[in-house]
């Protein structure tokens, strides 16, 4: 196996990728040639502030450039009838009362696509130039041992994924401990402000700590009730109604402060101390999150869209 032309970090600015950046800057891991942050245009203000601090206090002093890349603003695109939109995984309530979900295409369009474009630029072979065989970038992905099942190879030859935290044997708890010792214990979770995969804890955090952002996601939730604007404009109408919260209730009214009896009855998957799988999912959200390289993608069984239109 040949050596990589460049070594990059896929920087989501969350706990695991922040840990990798610090470890490289300290010399505990090999030197990075750069880090790539894919900006969906709708990250929480805390993530942007954290990224700015990382760049100022860690990356710049270590000589690690942070490349901020984007394919547009996911919120604005969803509400723009003239913009082709890669759908979010919205929760659907069909006319007959059956639940469903729309396809998750946003990760590929707003994260993976701009990252690949930037990697090709850094390798010196921007599209449509062909990257020569054997020339590739090593890309670090912040997946820890407790999430090893999320580790996946890249789908292109010029990008090879590596998982240093798994190699070190570090769990998410190890990362949290390390960040606390370095003064980075307030590292936020990186995900779009209005990500449907948020759990109740995340929705409460937005509501209780950032009223302006809460108003933003509540307004967006109401605006996408009939689906994204482009689909409606082209006749691919939503047959049911779309929601950000998995209860399929308007976010302003959703039961984010407690788990209801109906929620508890939805799944009977014993975990610890009598907790059910549904309760954990409702409270913490999907554990997979929005990592570009471990995406739960593909169509759902009941997308809610009239695909024959």
């Amino acid at each position: 196996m040949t050596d990589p032309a460049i070594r990059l970090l896929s920087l989501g600015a969350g706990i695991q990728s922040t840990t990798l950046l610090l470890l490289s800057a300290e010399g505990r891991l090999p030197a990075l040639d750069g880090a790539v942050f894919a900006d969906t245009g709708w990250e929480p203000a805390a993530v942007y502030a954290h990224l700015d601090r990382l760049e100022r206090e860690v990356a710049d002093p270590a000589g690690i450039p942070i490349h901020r890349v984007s394919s547009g603003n996911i919120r604005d695109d969803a509400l723009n009838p003239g913009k082709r939109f890669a759908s979010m995984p919205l929760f659907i309530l069909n006319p007959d009362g059956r639940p469903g979900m729309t396809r998750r295409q946003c990760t590929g369009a707003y994260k993976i696509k701009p990252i690949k474009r930037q990697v090709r630029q850094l390798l010196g072979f921007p599209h449509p130039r062909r990257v020569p065989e054997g020339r590739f970038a090593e890309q670090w992905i912040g997946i820890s041992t407790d999430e090893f099942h999320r580790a996946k190879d890249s789908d292109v030859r010029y990008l090879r994924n590596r998982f240093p935290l798994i190699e070190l044997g570090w769990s998410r708890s190890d990362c949290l401990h390390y960040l606390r010792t370095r003064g980075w214990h307030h590292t936020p979770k990186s995900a779009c402000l209005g990500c449907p995969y948020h759990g109740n804890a995340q929705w409460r955090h937005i509501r209780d700590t950032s009223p302006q952002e809460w108003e933003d996601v509540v307004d967006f939730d109401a605006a996408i009730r009939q689906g994204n604007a482009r689909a409606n404009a082209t006749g691919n109408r939503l047959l049911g109604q779309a929601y950000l919260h998995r209860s399929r209730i308007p976010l302003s009214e959703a039961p984010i402060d407690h788990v209801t009896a109906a929620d508890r009855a939805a799944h009977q998957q014993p975990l610890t101390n009598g907790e059910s799988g549904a309760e954990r999912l409702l409270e913490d959200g999907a554990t997979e999150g929005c990592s570009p390289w471990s995406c739960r993608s593909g169509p759902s069984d009941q997308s809610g869209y009239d695909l024959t239109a």
Side-chain angles (χ1 to χ4, degrees):
M1 177 179 176
T2 58
D3 293 331
I6 52 176
R7 183 178 289 115
L8 301 170
L9 168 64
S10 177
L11 180 62
I15 290 166
Q16 282 95 333
S17 64
T18 293
T19 297
L20 289 176
L21 184 65
L22 267 66
L23 287 171
S24 176
E26 287 185 354
R28 296 179 61 178
L29 285 175
L32 286 162
D33 297 302
V36 184
F37 174 80
D39 185 4
T40 65
W42 203 26
E43 295 279 347
V47 169
Y48 292 119
H50 177 76
L51 182 64
D52 290 342
R53 183 189 169 201
L54 274 177
E55 189 167 37
R56 183 176 62 252
E57 299 182 16
V58 179
D60 283 351
I64 304 171
I66 294 180
H67 306 276
R68 306 189 190 205
V69 299
S70 177
S71 288
N73 185 299
I74 190 171
R75 184 196 192 283
D76 294 346
D77 291 351
L79 303 180
N80 183 351
K83 181 73 174 182
R84 185 178 182 276
F85 178 65
S87 66
M88 301 168 64
L90 300 171
F91 295 97
I92 302 300
L93 186 63
N94 287 290
D96 61 2
R98 289 183 302 158
M101 286 193 76
T102 54
R103 292 175 175 85
R104 177 179 177 177
Q105 301 171 323
C106 49
T107 302
Y110 290 93
K111 289 184 178 288
I112 295 177
K113 183 178 178 179
I115 289 174
K116 287 181 176 178
R117 184 171 60 237
Q118 182 65 37
V119 170
R120 290 177 64 98
Q121 289 279 355
L122 294 172
L123 286 172
F125 296 89
H127 183 78
R129 295 179 63 191
R130 182 180 179 86
V131 181
E133 187 172 356
R135 185 171 178 85
F136 67 96
E138 178 180 285
Q139 178 177 236
W140 292 4
I141 310 295
I143 292 178
S144 48
T145 56
D146 42 321
E147 301 172 327
F148 71 92
H149 59 281
R150 299 172 58 201
K152 297 179 181 178
D153 293 331
S154 170
D155 60 354
V156 290
R157 290 186 300 178
Y158 61 82
L159 196 57
R160 298 185 186 177
N161 291 346
R162 183 176 177 181
F163 309 94
L165 293 175
I166 294 177
E167 295 173 15
L168 291 171
W170 281 30
S171 66
R172 186 174 185 273
S173 295
D174 293 323
C175 294
L176 288 169
H177 174 73
Y178 169 76
L179 292 176
R180 283 194 296 269
T181 66
R182 299 302 190 272
W184 291 86
H185 52 288
H186 292 304
T187 297
K189 181 172 182 178
S190 179
C192 285
L193 191 60
C195 179
Y197 286 153
H198 284 340
N200 285 341
Q202 293 151 294
W203 290 124
R204 288 196 304 272
H205 179 76
I206 297 172
R207 182 196 63 190
D208 298 342
T209 64
S210 183
Q212 185 175 356
E213 290 184 330
W214 177 248
E215 182 179 358
D216 184 23
V217 293
V218 166
D219 289 346
F220 179 80
D221 174 69
I224 51 85
R225 193 72 68 236
Q226 302 307 317
N228 75 75
R230 176 65 173 173
N232 288 323
T234 57
N236 190 17
R237 61 191 180 90
L238 186 68
L239 301 181
Q241 293 186 315
Y243 300 87
L244 287 182
H245 193 266
R246 64 186 66 245
S247 65
R248 295 169 177 82
I249 294 174
L251 188 57
S252 59
E253 306 168 18
I256 66 174
D257 288 303
H258 65 284
V259 179
T260 66
D263 295 330
R264 285 192 294 271
H267 293 280
Q268 296 299 322
Q269 302 173 16
L271 295 174
T272 59
N273 299 322
E275 179 190 41
S276 74
E279 289 172 352
R280 180 173 293 180
L281 188 62
L282 281 163
E283 181 64 13
D284 298 331
T287 57
E288 290 87 349
C290 284
S291 169
W293 312 105
S294 55
C295 169
R296 295 191 307 168
S297 59
S300 61
D301 292 333
Q302 301 293 332
S303 70
Y305 278 101
D306 180 1
L307 300 180
T308 65

